[in-house]
Amino acid sequence: MTKLMMIAFALTLIVAGTVAAHGGAISGIITDATSGKPVPYATVQIEGTSLGSVANSSGRFEIKHVPPGTHTLIISSVGRESLKHVVITPIAINSTLDIQLQPARVEAGSIVVTGTRTPRYVKDVPIFTEVVSRASIENKSAHNIFEALEGESGVRVEQQCQACNFTILRMQGLGADHTQVLLDGQPVYSGLAGVYGLQQMSTADVDQIEIVKGAGSALYGSNAVAGAINIVTCVPRKTEGQVRVEIGEHGTNRYEVSASTRKDKLGIFLFAQQSEQDELDETGDISAPGGINEPDGWTDRVEAIAKTSGFNLFLEDLLAADQLVVRGRILSEIRRGGWLTDNLFENPFTPGTEHIITDRHSGQFEYKLWLPGGSELNASVSFTGHKRNATNDTFLGDYEEAKGETPPVDLLRPYVANEKLLSTNLNFLQPIKNRHRLLVGVQFSRNNLDERGMYLDIDTEQPYMSTSQKKGCDFGIYAQDEFRVTDKLELVAGLRFDYHSSEDEFRGSGDVLPQGLEPLEYEESTVNPRFSVKYDATEELILRGSIGSGFRVPYGFSEDLHLCSGSPRVYKGCNLKPEKSLSYSVTTDYTRRSFSASLNLFRTELKDAIAFSEADDQAANLGYSYEWQNTDNAYVTGAEFNMSYALTRNLTTGIRFEAFKGKYDNSREDWLGTLYEETSKNISRYPQTSGGVKLEYSPSTWDFVIDADYKGKMYIDLAEPADPADAKIYETESFVILNAKLSKNIFNQYNVYVGARNLTDYTQEEKHIDDAAFMYAPVYGRIIYGGVQVSM
């Protein structure tokens, strides 16, 4: 299958070489409607296509290879209202335009691609899409994607381990394995990356983050049950350079440099970032003499240093009317956590210690070919290599419990994993009579994961080296039609067929499974439709509705396996059914120059939900420790409200609120016969209500932002307390996290700022170090930081 996709990519290049440049051109100048001055570096895009341009320093732009017909231009620039402009281009005739942009009162819209795989103005896309803009990322002073997503409506990011601070993403109540995370539209966010990746992915080259909620499997395949999050990286628009130095309390520092240039047919963006933090301990176990307010010697925040660098290269008109984009990223990170007493956490082989070394590199190739008649051919190939060397405290703990002594030094080995992910995509877009945009495509991905680690056979008390080889392939064919029925009504219908196959092979050493277990082979196929409708009731009021199905199949590494510290033998039998979903949503979106508001009502139903659990007798007799099981049916439902209002030219406020409810049909097995049997039906770790208030005041060259993030009560399991009798389902308190930032722009070249995260010094009211996953709020307090960004 990989060879076939590579051949298709090669044929694309051959076709490009036989296609002559075609069509006319659209050119013009963009000016400020108030001052009349040119607007430099504005983005101009033809809606529904990849054709576009960036204005130069004098506000002038040109789009080549424009097919004849009626086109809608989307013109956008930071700090100004986006504008739609209809233009008619006759055959081989150039059109010259004079465009004026108004200053923005609320954050302007942008061009998005995730909802339909075609570029659309965010206000007009039929699939409701939310955007975390570059300005929002800067206001948060977000070092990484985890921090950039904090406080976004319908999205919850959290840390779920006190020893290693691994992170997890939840969207509309569903876990990380239900959300497809994309980098420039490609699924390079592999299984190993899913544990620490949100904190490791730098924002240094991020232009915006697009969030599409609800069934996404019709376009993106498995694991898009809750939706998709697409991280869109920077496009070089001008020649510039930036240097940033940010220093914070407890060694919370960031050093960043970026440079870009664009000239004629070539554009390149380069970046590098180092982000670091010291270990931190500010709170204690609830049962300790000092209680929650006294440090207990256990890391609340791990020590970490992450280094990221990369490039985005754009080449245009190579063979015909085409574009080649090449992207590359390299990441290395070291993080350490555990007992701070006598610096035990510095020794990776001491009890409770987490010592994780990550090395990851990725590359992407994208090729676009514009054909006569407005057609487009898009091909992409992406590759990710990920290596991890991590503490294996499962072996240490099992050995000490079984033998009453520390294992010999030569038996202490780390957990080592090596993952390789290849993904390819080929699609063709064909406009039909200005009413339809038909998209058809194929997608293929292959994932190889090799793991090894030392374990103890509990029955024989024999140490053994466990190795596993996991291989997975996914092949999908998809089709979508964007049908503009009238000027006010648009329908989108999509359908995707997916085939998944995987193989897991486990082998021991010595007297424990030296011959290995029979390879587990798993195959499934599924068809998922999606239907969406958009109706423009007025120019300001837009109504949207969507319904679609999704599916999920577990494969490779996940946060569940991480909690088992390595590569346990996990049974995935042929009788395991894919988890299926059906999602509905209705959205109302109202926008005026100084006011915008949206209301989103959603519901997702899960059938045969898959859970990770200890092996039953049948799987245990085959030699497995854990297994994937279909446990129950479930649903999540709720409402999300967002509003932004410009009170004055310099003062803007934003309000967000979310109500959520999620339940399984039946009580969870672990809690049957306990006081928490009925409570266990609730989907945990997601607040029943949440929201926030944001205020931004920007007089002249100053900018002040303060944001209050509210989280209501939620349920969380205390599953592994020191005394098993103390196990409970805990209903958390409601809390508010306050963040603030003040910045000053000097000579349009220097941006000096100071800020605070968790300004009120809030920490969760109850903590249990015996259950490292018992985290639902900050476990350490306020961080003050300051920095300077120099633009050249």
Side-chain angles (χ1 to χ4, degrees):
M1 190 63 66
T2 305
K3 292 181 179 179
L4 289 177
M5 295 296 290
M6 292 299 184
I7 292 172
F9 187 77
L11 289 175
T12 301
L13 297 180
I14 293 173
V15 170
T18 64
V19 177
H22 58 270
I26 301 175
S27 61
I29 184 170
I30 304 171
T31 57
D32 187 282
T34 303
S35 66
K37 295 181 179 180
V39 177
Y41 314 118
T43 299
V44 186
Q45 186 93 24
I46 298 180
E47 186 172 30
T49 77
S50 298
L51 289 170
S53 177
V54 177
N56 62 17
S57 58
S58 300
R60 297 188 177 277
F61 70 93
E62 182 181 28
I63 305 175
K64 299 178 181 179
H65 316 304
V66 180
T70 302
H71 304 286
T72 300
L73 298 184
I74 304 170
I75 304 97
S76 57
S77 177
V78 176
R80 293 174 176 84
E81 293 184 359
S82 295
L83 177 69
K84 294 179 66 177
H85 186 89
V86 177
V87 60
I88 300 175
T89 57
I91 298 176
I93 299 295
N94 296 345
S95 301
T96 303
L97 306 174
D98 186 357
I99 304 293
Q100 293 185 331
L101 295 182
Q102 296 283 349
R105 299 289 296 276
V106 295
E107 189 168 292
S110 59
I111 298 169
V112 295
V113 296
T114 311
T116 59
R117 281 190 186 264
T118 57
R120 301 289 299 267
Y121 180 42
V122 66
K123 183 180 176 181
D124 293 335
V125 67
I127 314 300
F128 183 60
T129 304
E130 295 165 292
V131 175
V132 183
S133 66
R134 182 69 203 175
S136 178
I137 293 172
E138 287 292 336
N139 284 342
K140 295 177 181 180
S141 200
H143 298 194
N144 51 57
I145 300 301
F146 177 89
E147 294 176 355
L149 290 174
E150 284 185 310
E152 295 302 316
S153 179
V155 177
R156 173 167 164 76
V157 288
E158 62 176 350
Q159 294 183 349
Q160 203 170 317
C161 177
Q162 296 173 47
C164 70
N165 291 176
F166 94 81
T167 55
I168 193 169
L169 163 71
R170 301 180 190 277
M171 191 141 74
Q172 293 185 335
L174 299 178
D177 44 11
H178 293 80
T179 301
Q180 183 73 272
V181 178
L182 308 166
L183 183 62
D184 291 304
Q186 301 301 313
V188 299
Y189 191 76
S190 59
L192 279 177
V195 179
Y196 305 110
L198 293 178
Q199 290 176 321
Q200 293 172 339
M201 296 182 74
S202 163
T203 56
D205 68 330
V206 175
D207 189 51
Q208 66 183 31
I209 303 172
E210 300 174 11
I211 303 172
V212 178
K213 301 165 188 170
S217 291
L219 271 185
Y220 296 105
S222 178
N223 298 338
V225 170
I229 292 179
N230 188 19
I231 302 163
V232 181
T233 59
C234 291
V235 175
R237 293 183 172 89
K238 58 182 177 179
T239 299
E240 68 172 345
Q242 288 188 342
V243 177
R244 182 201 303 267
V245 176
E246 182 178 301
I247 306 297
E249 290 184 285
H250 310 293
T252 313
N253 305 328
R254 171 170 51 153
Y255 313 100
E256 194 173 284
V257 60
S258 65
S260 68
T261 186
R262 190 178 189 98
K263 186 176 182 181
D264 298 331
K265 302 176 182 181
L266 172 67
I268 188 168
F269 178 87
L270 306 171
F271 74 95
Q273 183 197 75
Q274 176 169 311
S275 182
E276 56 191 35
Q277 61 184 39
D278 293 341
E279 71 279 3
L280 189 58
D281 174 30
E282 292 189 349
T283 56
D285 192 285
I286 189 69
S287 60
I292 189 71
N293 295 318
E294 291 293 330
D296 55 13
W298 182 264
T299 50
D300 295 328
R301 188 182 77 172
V302 300
E303 176 193 66
I305 299 178
K307 300 176 182 180
T308 307
S309 60
F311 69 91
N312 299 335
L313 174 66
F314 289 73
L315 300 169
E316 297 179 351
D317 295 345
L318 293 172
L319 303 174
D322 59 358
Q323 181 188 69
L324 175 66
V325 182
V326 183
R327 300 182 179 94
R329 276 188 171 212
I330 298 175
L331 161 78
S332 64
E333 188 205 55
I334 299 176
R335 62 173 60 202
R336 301 188 299 183
W339 288 106
L340 299 179
T341 306
D342 297 327
N343 293 323
L344 285 176
F345 80 107
E346 296 178 353
N347 183 347
F349 299 114
T350 51
T353 295
E354 292 282 0
H355 189 280
I356 302 104
I357 302 173
T358 299
D359 291 291
R360 185 165 69 244
H361 58 274
S362 63
Q364 294 175 268
F365 297 84
E366 294 180 10
Y367 182 76
K368 301 177 186 293
L369 175 64
W370 293 283
L371 301 167
S375 303
E376 287 184 28
L377 190 62
N378 299 281
S380 64
V381 178
S382 62
F383 172 81
T384 301
H386 189 125
K387 293 182 179 180
R388 177 180 297 166
N389 183 307
T391 300
N392 184 359
D393 57 358
T394 295
F395 171 71
L396 179 62
D398 289 346
Y399 193 99
E400 289 181 335
E401 184 176 350
K403 298 181 178 290
E405 60 183 13
T406 302
V409 174
D410 61 341
L411 287 180
L412 294 173
R413 312 284 178 82
Y415 160 76
V416 178
N418 187 2
E419 183 177 38
K420 297 178 181 179
L421 171 66
L422 174 69
S423 179
T424 60
N425 183 74
L426 180 67
N427 64 51
F428 178 74
L429 177 66
Q430 175 65 57
I432 303 175
K433 295 182 179 179
N434 289 326
R435 287 292 183 184
H436 295 266
R437 274 196 294 262
L438 180 63
L439 178 74
V440 293
V442 293
Q443 187 173 10
F444 173 78
S445 65
R446 181 179 179 85
N447 190 318
N448 290 348
L449 175 62
D450 296 333
E451 303 170 286
R452 70 177 187 270
M454 186 66 75
Y455 291 88
L456 186 77
D457 184 76
I458 302 301
D459 296 329
T460 64
E461 297 187 359
Q462 291 294 313
Y464 70 97
M465 178 64 72
S466 171
T467 60
S468 72
Q469 293 181 324
K470 301 175 182 179
K471 302 175 183 178
C473 293
D474 289 279
F475 175 74
I477 303 175
Y478 57 90
Q480 175 185 267
D481 182 29
E482 300 171 62
F483 176 32
R484 184 171 291 279
V485 183
T486 69
D487 290 341
K488 291 181 173 291
L489 179 64
E490 183 173 359
L491 307 178
V492 177
L495 187 69
R496 176 166 173 145
F497 167 80
D498 277 281
Y499 168 76
H500 168 87
S501 66
S502 59
E503 179 180 298
D504 298 354
E505 186 175 349
F506 300 90
R507 185 176 298 276
S509 65
D511 297 329
V512 182
L513 296 173
Q515 75 286 355
L517 297 171
E518 284 293 322
L520 291 175
E521 297 182 352
Y522 186 83
E523 295 184 2
E524 280 291 345
S525 60
T526 182
V527 176
N528 291 284
R530 181 178 69 173
F531 180 80
S532 301
V533 59
K534 179 178 78 77
Y535 179 69
D536 299 345
T538 66
E539 186 176 346
E540 295 87 8
L541 180 63
I542 299 175
L543 307 176
R544 296 179 178 88
S546 183
I547 181 172
S549 64
F551 80 105
R552 181 178 78 91
V553 176
Y555 166 74
F557 200 90
S558 73
E559 68 276 1
D560 298 301
L561 302 187
H562 166 75
L563 291 173
C564 299
S565 296
S567 58
R569 300 188 301 271
V570 184
Y571 183 69
K572 184 168 68 174
C574 59
N575 59 342
L576 181 72
K577 303 174 185 176
E579 182 177 310
K580 299 290 186 71
S581 71
L582 184 63
S583 297
Y584 323 79
S585 68
V586 177
T587 305
T588 301
D589 192 5
Y590 183 80
T591 306
R592 300 190 69 176
R593 185 180 178 189
S594 60
F595 177 83
S596 67
S598 66
L599 175 64
N600 180 37
L601 308 177
F602 67 90
R603 181 180 177 91
T604 297
E605 298 172 355
L606 300 179
K607 182 180 180 182
D608 298 320
I610 296 174
F612 181 78
S613 62
E614 293 188 5
D616 61 18
D617 292 341
Q618 179 182 358
N621 290 334
L622 294 174
Y624 292 94
S625 305
Y626 302 90
E627 69 175 313
W628 297 107
Q629 290 183 336
N630 297 112
T631 55
D632 201 357
N633 300 330
Y635 73 89
V636 294
T637 187
E640 300 165 356
F641 174 76
N642 289 275
M643 185 198 76
S644 182
Y645 179 50
L647 299 171
T648 68
R649 181 178 179 180
N650 300 319
L651 182 60
T652 303
T653 184
I655 297 174
R656 61 186 186 275
F657 180 78
E658 178 186 0
F660 167 82
K661 182 179 182 181
K663 284 197 171 187
Y664 295 99
D665 286 356
N666 302 288
S667 300
R668 285 183 283 151
E669 185 175 350
D670 293 348
W671 300 99
L672 293 177
T674 71
L675 296 174
Y676 305 100
E677 181 173 336
E678 186 65 25
T679 305
S680 71
K681 291 182 179 180
N682 294 286
I683 289 180
S684 60
R685 307 191 75 97
Y686 203 84
Q688 300 158 34
T689 57
S690 59
V693 177
K694 177 182 177 181
L695 191 68
E696 182 170 6
Y697 181 53
S698 306
S700 186
T701 56
W702 290 90
D703 187 63
F704 175 69
V705 181
I706 186 166
D707 185 285
D709 185 22
Y710 161 77
K711 293 290 186 290
K713 295 181 179 180
M714 67 187 96
Y715 296 103
I716 179 172
D717 292 1
L718 177 59
E720 299 180 4
D723 184 351
D726 293 334
K728 63 180 178 180
I729 297 178
Y730 178 71
E731 186 176 24
T732 71
E733 73 279 5
S734 302
F735 59 90
V736 175
I737 303 298
L738 199 62
N739 304 304
K741 182 181 177 183
L742 175 66
S743 61
K744 166 72 172 176
N745 187 279
I746 304 173
F747 305 130
N748 288 321
Q749 185 174 5
Y750 303 96
N751 187 44
V752 182
Y753 59 91
V754 62
R757 299 184 182 94
N758 193 5
L759 189 60
T760 59
D761 220 24
Y762 177 82
T763 58
Q764 66 183 49
E765 292 184 358
E766 189 167 328
K767 177 182 170 184
H768 299 268
I769 63 173
D770 294 299
D771 190 343
F774 190 80
M775 298 180 72
Y776 59 88
V779 290
Y780 60 88
R782 178 176 50 247
I783 299 290
I784 304 293
Y785 63 90
V788 59
Q789 183 181 40
V790 182
S791 299
M792 297 168 285

